[in-house]
């Protein structure tokens, strides 16, 4: 299980990291000192679990958890805090558990078990939905994981799938893909959808064009003026 740890106190981060090291199936992929860093780490590392403090400067833990719910595939959230008065609010944002500091290893083990159960249930529930796009390559078929897709670009009767391994063509319409995967992708103009979680910024050029930066894509993509307000809203939510 891949874990991101967010706490504004360095000693608390170190202590919880030491506790996590006792679990062979847990990999700590990133540490964060506030909610903004936690959201960025989740977007970059796609963890299974976020261990999240509540009282942090800037974006606090509760607000970070609310924003995570807008991710295409958010991690499970376990709050770790010195104050037990937040417990009710924690479960209102779909936290799977609530730990009070100082966290005991036995209590952490129980929280990790709950997170595993939650993730397994979500995976099973999503089993009926597609997790790949299928491209014909010569006489064979290639499956492209959705989480590796950067953007989808309509070209004549095909759609170009730009992903971590290159580009492939699929015989599907951009409209049908938007209807099926609208939670994961957002339209930036009439012929292009981009992965929400890969957006790194929106820049307006001196001549009035809107350019979208994507993690993993070297050159920015141009967005239409009509789509620019929706993109700004997505950036505010990330």
């Amino acid at each position: 299980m891949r874990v991101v740890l967010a706490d504004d106190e360095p000693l608390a981060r170190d202590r919880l990291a030491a506790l996590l090291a006792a679990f062979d199936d847990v990999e700590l992929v990133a540490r964060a000192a506030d909610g903004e860093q936690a959201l960025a780490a989740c977007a970059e590392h796609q963890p299974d679990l976020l261990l999240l403090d509540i009282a942090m400067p800037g974006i606090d833990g509760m607000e970070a958890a609310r924003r995570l719910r807008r991710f295409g595939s958010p991690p499970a959230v376990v709050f770790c805090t010195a104050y037990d008065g937040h417990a009710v609010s924690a479960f209102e944002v779909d936290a799977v558990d609530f730990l009070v500091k100082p966290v005991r290893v036995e209590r952490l083990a129980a929280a990790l078990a709950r997170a595993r159960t939650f993730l397994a249930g979500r995976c099973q529930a999503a089993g009926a939905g597609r997790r790949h796009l299928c491209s014909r390559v010569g006489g064979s078929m290639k499956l492209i994981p959705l989480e590796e897709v950067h953007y989808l670009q309509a070209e004549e009767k095909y759609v170009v799938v730009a992903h971590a391994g290159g580009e492939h063509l699929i015989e599907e319409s951009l409209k049908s893909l938007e209807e099926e995967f609208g939670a994961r992708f957002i339209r930036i103009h009439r012929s292009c959808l981009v992965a929400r979680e890969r957006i790194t910024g929106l820049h307006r050029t001196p001549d009035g064009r809107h350019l979208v930066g994507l993690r993993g894509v070297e050159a920015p993509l141009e967005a239409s003026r009509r789509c620019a307000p929706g993109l700004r809203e997505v950036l505010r939510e990330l």
Side-chain angles (χ1 to χ4, degrees), residues 86-98:
H86 294 291
V88 173
S89 297
F91 294 113
E92 288 176 353
V93 292
D94 301 327
V96 300
D97 209 342
F98 184 93

Side-chain angles (χ1 to χ4, degrees), residues 1-6 20 25-32 35-52 64-65 68-69 71-78 96 112 115-116 118-120 122-123 147 184 197-198 215:
M1 179 164 32
R2 292 163 53 81
V3 178
V4 167
L5 166 60
L20 289 171
D25 64 339
V26 171
E27 178 187 4
L28 182 59
V29 296
R31 304 187 191 194
E36 184 173 356
Q37 290 182 16
L39 292 169
C42 288
E44 179 179 357
H45 296 283
Q46 305 279 312
D48 303 303
L49 172 64
L50 172 61
L51 292 173
L52 185 60
L68 272 178
R69 296 165 77 182
F71 278 40
S73 182
V77 174
V78 170
V96 300
L112 293 174
R116 292 187 193 96
F118 169 82
L119 293 166
R122 186 170 68 183
C123 183
E147 61 267 22
R184 183 180 290 272
E197 294 182 10
R198 292 189 176 271
R215 177 169 50 85

Side-chain angles (χ1 to χ4, degrees), residues 201-225:
L202 177 64
H203 171 67
R204 185 172 182 177
T205 65
D207 60 357
R209 294 184 301 146
H210 295 86
L211 301 180
V212 182
L214 295 179
R215 177 169 50 85
V217 177
E218 184 174 349
L221 304 179
E222 187 166 353
S224 68
R225 293 183 180 180

Side-chain angles (χ1 to χ4, degrees), residues 123-202:
C123 183
Q124 184 176 6
R130 287 197 291 169
R131 287 172 287 181
H132 300 79
L133 298 177
C134 185
S135 174
R136 295 180 183 273
V137 181
S140 62
M141 308 289 285
K142 177 177 177 58
L143 291 178
I144 306 166
L146 284 171
E147 61 267 22
E148 294 184 4
V149 176
H150 302 319
Y151 62 89
L152 304 166
Q153 177 81 46
E155 289 190 5
E156 298 181 353
K157 64 178 181 179
Y158 298 101
V159 168
V160 176
V161 182
H163 58 98
E167 293 185 354
H168 288 84
L169 299 178
I170 60 174
E171 297 177 346
E172 300 188 51
S173 72
L174 199 67
K175 181 179 179 181
S176 67
L177 291 167
E178 183 179 28
E179 291 174 350
E180 184 175 0
F181 303 115
R184 183 180 290 272
F185 298 97
I186 184 171
R187 187 178 290 272
I188 65 168
H189 59 70
R190 63 185 181 86
S191 60
C192 186
L193 303 174
V194 302
R196 294 172 181 265
E197 294 182 10
R198 292 189 176 271
I199 298 174
T200 59
L202 177 64

